[in-house]
Amino acid sequence: MSIPATIHRHRHRHTLLLRRFLHYKPPKTPPPPAPPSPPNPPKKPQTFTHQSSTWHDPYSWMSSLNDRVAMRHMDIYMEQEEKYLEAVIMNTDRLQSKLQSEMGSRLQYDLSTPPLMWGPWLYYRRVEEGKPYPVLCRRLVKLNDEFVSNKSPFTGFDFTSGKKIEQKLIDYNHEAERHGGYAYEELSEVSPDHQFIAYTMYDKENDYFKLSVRNLNSGALCSKPKAEQVSNIAWAKDGQALLYVVTNQNKRPYRLYCSVIGSTDEDVLLHEELDEDVHVNIRHTKDFQFVTVNTFSPSSSKVFLINAAHPLSGLTLVWECECIAHCIIEHHQGFLYLFTDAAKQGQVVDHHYLLRCPVGASSSTWNWEDVFIDEQDIVIEDVDFSNTHLVLIVRENQKYRLCSVPLPLPWGKMPDAVVDFDLTNGNVQIIQQQNMLHERTKVLYGTVPLASFAENLKNNDGSVSKNDDNPWNELSEIYACEHYDVPSHDGVMVPLTVIYSRKTKKEFQNPGLLHGHGAYGELIDKRWRSELKSLLDRGWVIAYADVRGGGGRGKKWHHDGRSTMKHNSINDFVSSAKFLVEKGLVQENKLAGWGYSAGGLLVASAINHSPHLFRAAVLKVPFLDPTSTLLHPIVPLTAADYEEFGYPGVVDEFHAIRQYSPYDNIQEGVIYPAILVTSSFNTRFGVWEAAKWVARARERVVYDPKRPILLNLTTDIVEENRYLHCKESALETAFLITMMDS
């Protein structure tokens, strides 16, 4: 009887379970959270008219710094942007931490610059473990061996010998405490007697640089000079006097003063330029015999000379020319040497050249003569002087050489040797006197063309260079560097440098990051940055486009990418981007752009031109609204800025500005790449430029949460603090990686 009852109970329980299973409804999976919505700042349209053009700007209120209501709205908007950025990148926290750990591990905690020997001292900067800013130090040359052999040299004291080996001159961590939590130094000069150092630190509250002079023996700050708004400094009277230039309220360097160290007298005004177009710049010659005073404007450039032994004796004009020209004067044993790109006999030249002139005690006229005969194919890129030699960086096409010439130039006497260092492959050749051709000797003294010099460099005993297209590859088993010439829209060949990891390189499969700058005739910064290793090791290709407007290819290359020719820079960058994809160096839809300052304008304009080419971009403190900035400058601009981007007062140049302006040419109804715009409250281009561009871009383009447009605002000068720089680099890198993988 019990068994059937047990079976009945089991059957009943099974029936109940079956009914429950048949009627079971799993709980609903909650929908994924909606992507955060970007801020929507208020629109306050204003209409502007200039040069027969009329346009509307709904976000011009963001630059109304004197409007309290507008600035209150701006504060709210900035807070919204900060929260939106945090919400969008929330899922990258772990990746950021990993990247920051990677980058931080590459920071050398005992990092030190190579020591510079000057007189009896070795000067260098080093970073102490755990501190964000470096320390300026020096040690005696004669104690260098003991310093190196000491097990803990950074203590600055050798306990074995009982000698103090290292002297700290400036601890920039202490300077950060004096200047609002961070240290940003622009200038520093040690006096020729090694008794003082003059340096300028940025004052954030007042937005200018303050001059300080420190006694290197006692470590104490001198009571004077303590000038503000200082742009240049130079020592005179063997360190007993300091010359400095100050700027006016528009940040134009216009007054030159002389201060006698230790004196209670007022500083003496040596020179003043009242013309708002004229800027003043000073520097001392390397032998400290003279201080050169450069005054320049759009219409003229002049160089004056001050006898450093008698700085109050007045200024002597030694050189002048029309238009803005680069003019650097050095002095060596009774001769002045001028390195300039000024026009010759009324003809614009595309390169620098070297002149010299004897120093006359009472010269009313200065007779400058060529040191070398000009050749189109051979260009002197740079010169430097030591006590015994003149050093030249010579370029033939894209091949660079480093050459030295004994000084003084001994007419009719052959030098003992010429050192020829080929910068493209690192080969050094010492050519003894008996092996030197007669023409080689003559060219050193300016009697034959530089072409003969270069030809002899190629064909003399043992070739100076090897037939190796990729010499850098010999130095690395992990990474490779390649060079390409990319045809632009008009057939001009644009240099493109590509770096990648040998282990991860796959045709048509790698993401890539393309850098650009193209302004002010400046070379794009291709220095190795340790944070790029995190991308290279993840299979990224890093590329640099030397677009027109930048440097390295002469004045014409610069001029062909500025003002009304700015479109050439943009097309060069777009052509480089297309080349990377078409040649399989970068996978299609996996290319990002990167631009800093004026380079941000370049990249943003390229995105406006061809948004489909890019998957992401990083714009750091970018110049994005040239129309408003050039027409109604809030931050003072220089003549060089208008020469570079165009004068709104000139019709053709104004229309060119309107055509390349990133803010004015955002496409409507188009999908844009993901973009991270980083701006700072301590930047030349105000945060309103970045904020305006971000607001208008979101308004016009097709919204895609997988392609966010973000604004990252910082309050610190990140580049001067290596830990903050590491943190920001991790954020940017995480953004790029995430956008490529999304």
Side-chain angles (χ1 to χ4, degrees):
M1 292 291 295
S2 61
I3 295 176
T6 302
I7 294 174
H8 177 75
R9 285 197 300 270
H10 280 290
R11 286 177 176 174
H12 180 69
R13 184 180 301 172
H14 178 74
T15 302
L16 291 175
L17 291 173
L18 183 61
R19 289 176 180 174
R20 289 178 184 176
F21 176 77
L22 293 174
H23 292 85
Y24 173 76
K25 293 182 180 180
K28 293 183 179 180
T29 304
S37 299
N40 186 21
K43 296 180 183 179
K44 303 176 182 179
Q46 279 189 273
T47 301
F48 299 90
T49 300
H50 186 73
Q51 301 286 17
S52 302
S53 295
T54 299
W55 66 96
H56 307 283
D57 187 350
Y59 302 110
S60 63
W61 61 268
M62 293 185 182
S63 60
S64 302
L65 304 186
N66 296 322
D67 186 332
R68 292 185 178 181
V69 175
M71 289 301 97
R72 177 55 185 157
H73 288 166
M74 191 66 169
D75 289 340
I76 296 172
Y77 175 45
M78 294 298 97
E79 292 174 5
Q80 293 173 345
E81 287 290 354
E82 183 178 359
K83 292 178 180 177
Y84 178 61
L85 173 68
E86 292 175 354
V88 171
I89 65 172
M90 183 188 308
N91 295 332
T92 69
D93 286 347
R94 291 184 63 183
L95 178 57
Q96 287 187 60
S97 298
K98 179 176 175 58
L99 290 167
Q100 192 169 349
S101 177
E102 288 178 15
M103 297 172 184
S105 67
R106 301 183 197 119
L107 294 176
Q108 296 181 358
Y109 293 106
D110 57 351
L111 183 67
S112 175
T113 60
L116 171 67
M117 187 172 70
W118 181 22
W121 295 96
L122 292 168
Y123 290 88
Y124 55 96
R125 295 174 190 257
R126 62 174 179 80
V127 177
E128 296 177 327
E129 185 173 356
K131 294 186 177 181
Y133 297 105
V135 181
L136 176 64
C137 305
R138 70 179 178 183
R139 61 182 185 265
L140 287 169
V141 174
K142 62 183 180 181
L143 296 179
N144 184 56
D145 292 339
E146 298 175 44
F147 181 91
V148 173
S149 64
N150 186 7
K151 292 182 179 179
S152 183
F154 295 137
T155 61
F157 190 84
D158 187 346
F159 292 96
T160 303
S161 64
K163 295 178 180 178
K164 184 177 182 181
I165 298 176
E166 180 183 79
Q167 180 185 1
K168 289 185 179 181
L169 306 181
I170 301 177
D171 188 334
Y172 293 98
N173 298 285
H174 295 163
E175 292 295 328
E177 296 174 3
R178 292 179 55 214
H179 295 88
Y182 62 89
Y184 180 28
E185 178 192 77
E186 184 178 49
L187 306 168
S188 64
E189 291 280 352
V190 176
S191 62
D193 60 359
H194 304 275
Q195 300 297 309
F196 301 94
I197 182 170
Y199 60 103
T200 61
M201 302 297 297
Y202 183 65
D203 185 326
K204 175 185 173 183
E205 291 185 4
N206 297 295
D207 189 28
Y208 56 57
F209 287 90
K210 297 174 67 173
L211 172 65
S212 298
V213 177
R214 190 177 293 274
N215 186 314
L216 296 183
N217 293 319
S218 66
L221 289 171
C222 299
S223 58
K224 66 180 289 286
K226 285 187 177 180
E228 299 171 344
Q229 298 177 244
V230 175
S231 62
N232 268 131
I233 53 178
W235 286 102
K237 294 189 70 174
D238 196 30
Q240 299 177 41
L242 181 70
L243 277 60
Y244 61 91
V245 176
V246 299
T247 63
N248 62 8
Q249 68 275 11
N250 293 324
K251 299 184 183 296
R252 178 180 67 90
Y254 77 121
R255 283 179 178 169
L256 170 61
Y257 287 93
C258 176
S259 177
V260 178
I261 305 300
S263 170
T264 57
D265 296 338
E266 291 290 325
D267 295 348
V268 179
L269 177 63
L270 300 183
H271 185 73
E272 181 178 17
E273 289 288 350
L274 298 177
D275 189 333
E276 282 296 324
D277 288 333
V278 179
H279 292 63
V280 179
N281 183 69
I282 62 172
R283 64 181 295 272
H284 61 76
T285 55
K286 294 187 73 173
D287 60 5
F288 288 95
Q289 297 296 308
F290 297 96
V291 174
T292 61
V293 182
N294 290 58
T295 64
F296 52 92
S297 71
S299 59
S300 69
S301 298
K302 299 179 181 179
V303 184
F304 298 87
L305 215 58
I306 294 178
N307 186 338
H310 305 284
L312 303 181
S313 60
L315 286 70
T316 303
L317 179 65
V318 296
W319 170 265
E320 63 178 321
C321 63
E322 295 181 351
C323 303
I324 293 180
H326 183 222
C327 305
I328 298 293
I329 284 184
E330 271 299 344
H331 174 257
H332 187 276
Q333 297 188 12
F335 281 90
L336 296 178
Y337 291 85
L338 172 64
F339 188 57
T340 183
D341 61 354
K344 273 190 168 185
Q345 299 176 347
Q347 297 295 318
V348 175
V349 297
D350 192 36
H351 54 80
H352 286 73
Y353 54 92
L354 187 64
L355 304 175
R356 79 168 189 169
C357 175
V359 178
S362 58
S363 296
S364 57
T365 59
W366 298 79
N367 298 315
W368 295 93
E369 60 182 5
D370 284 295
V371 176
F372 299 106
I373 294 176
D374 291 332
E375 280 293 327
Q376 291 297 322
D377 296 333
I378 309 298
V379 175
I380 301 176
E381 287 287 345
D382 203 358
V383 299
D384 198 5
F385 288 79
S386 70
N387 190 43
T388 58
H389 284 79
L390 163 65
V391 181
L392 307 171
I393 296 181
V394 180
R395 173 173 60 86
E396 181 183 11
N397 297 321
Q398 290 304 301
K399 193 167 189 176
Y400 291 82
R401 289 189 175 91
L402 186 63
C403 307
S404 67
V405 181
L407 290 174
L409 298 179
W411 295 95
K413 180 181 177 181
M414 296 175 66
D416 291 332
V418 172
V419 179
D420 180 25
F421 182 66
D422 193 326
L423 297 183
T424 59
N425 61 18
N427 287 344
V428 180
Q429 186 177 26
I430 307 296
I431 307 161
Q432 299 301 327
Q433 178 174 321
Q434 61 267 28
N435 295 330
M436 294 170 61
L437 300 178
H438 181 59
E439 288 77 9
R440 177 196 295 269
T441 304
K442 288 196 298 184
V443 73
L444 298 179
Y445 311 128
T447 57
V448 298
L450 278 172
S452 301
F453 179 40
E455 195 62 34
N456 290 330
L457 287 178
K458 296 178 187 175
N459 301 326
N460 207 16
D461 293 17
S463 178
V464 173
S465 59
K466 298 179 181 179
N467 293 324
D468 185 356
D469 294 332
N470 303 311
W472 192 79
N473 293 348
E474 298 175 359
L475 307 177
S476 173
E477 297 178 356
I478 303 174
Y479 305 109
C481 180
E482 297 177 353
H483 175 82
Y484 299 91
D485 287 320
V486 178
S488 190
H489 68 292
D490 54 359
V492 172
M493 305 305 287
V494 180
L496 180 68
T497 303
V498 177
I499 306 171
Y500 59 88
S501 169
R502 297 181 186 277
K503 295 181 180 180
T504 59
K505 180 72 169 64
K506 297 179 182 179
E507 194 172 5
F508 293 103
Q509 295 184 39
N510 296 81
L513 181 63
L514 178 61
H515 295 73
H517 185 64
Y520 295 103
E522 298 171 345
L523 288 168
I524 187 172
D525 187 359
K526 300 177 189 173
R527 289 176 296 178
W528 174 259
R529 302 202 314 270
S530 63
E531 59 264 27
L532 293 180
K533 188 178 187 302
S534 295
L535 286 176
L536 289 169
D537 291 347
R538 287 171 169 82
W540 283 62
V541 171
I542 309 297
Y544 300 86
D546 284 291
V547 303
R548 279 172 282 186
R553 287 198 152 188
K555 189 184 294 186
K556 186 177 186 301
W557 188 261
H558 170 212
H559 289 182
D560 284 350
R562 70 175 191 178
S563 189
T564 57
M565 309 292 282
K566 198 66 186 173
H567 64 276
N568 284 332
S569 299
I570 300 163
N571 282 303
D572 290 352
F573 193 80
V574 170
S575 298
S576 299
K578 291 179 179 178
F579 179 89
L580 289 170
V581 174
E582 291 170 358
K583 293 297 181 180
L585 298 169
V586 173
Q587 181 180 346
E588 187 176 4
N589 199 34
K590 292 285 187 178
L591 178 63
W594 194 96
Y596 176 84
S597 190
L601 179 148
L602 172 72
V603 176
S605 296
I607 291 172
N608 286 343
H609 183 284
S610 303
H612 64 281
L613 273 177
F614 303 93
R615 181 65 182 81
V618 174
L619 311 179
K620 291 179 69 71
V621 291
F623 182 30
L624 297 172
D625 186 16
T627 301
S628 300
T629 298
L630 297 171
L631 196 58
H632 308 291
I634 297 174
V635 178
L637 302 177
T638 66
D641 296 323
Y642 287 107
E643 290 280 347
E644 188 65 35
F645 299 106
Y647 287 89
V650 179
V651 176
D652 291 344
E653 296 186 22
F654 175 73
H655 289 310
I657 295 168
R658 293 282 296 162
Q659 288 171 4
Y660 73 70
S661 168
Y663 181 70
D664 296 309
N665 292 281
I666 299 170
Q667 294 193 37
E668 293 193 53
V670 175
I671 296 177
Y672 262 43
I675 301 174
L676 175 63
V677 183
T678 298
S679 190
S680 170
F681 293 100
N682 299 296
T683 176
R684 212 167 149 240
F685 302 119
V687 294
W688 55 86
E689 292 225 6
K692 287 177 63 177
W693 187 90
V694 166
R696 175 169 275 191
R698 291 192 190 128
E699 171 195 336
R700 289 190 171 185
V701 307
V702 174
Y703 173 69
D704 182 353
K706 293 184 178 181
R707 295 172 179 250
I709 297 176
L710 306 174
L711 179 60
N712 179 31
L713 296 173
T714 64
T715 57
D716 297 306
I717 301 178
V718 174
E719 287 76 7
E720 300 302 314
N721 185 315
R722 61 187 192 145
Y723 295 113
L724 288 177
H725 179 71
C726 185
K727 182 178 180 181
E728 183 168 287
S729 296
L731 168 63
E732 294 170 3
T733 305
F735 168 79
L736 290 172
I737 293 172
T738 304
M739 292 304 108
M740 289 300 173
D741 294 342
S742 65

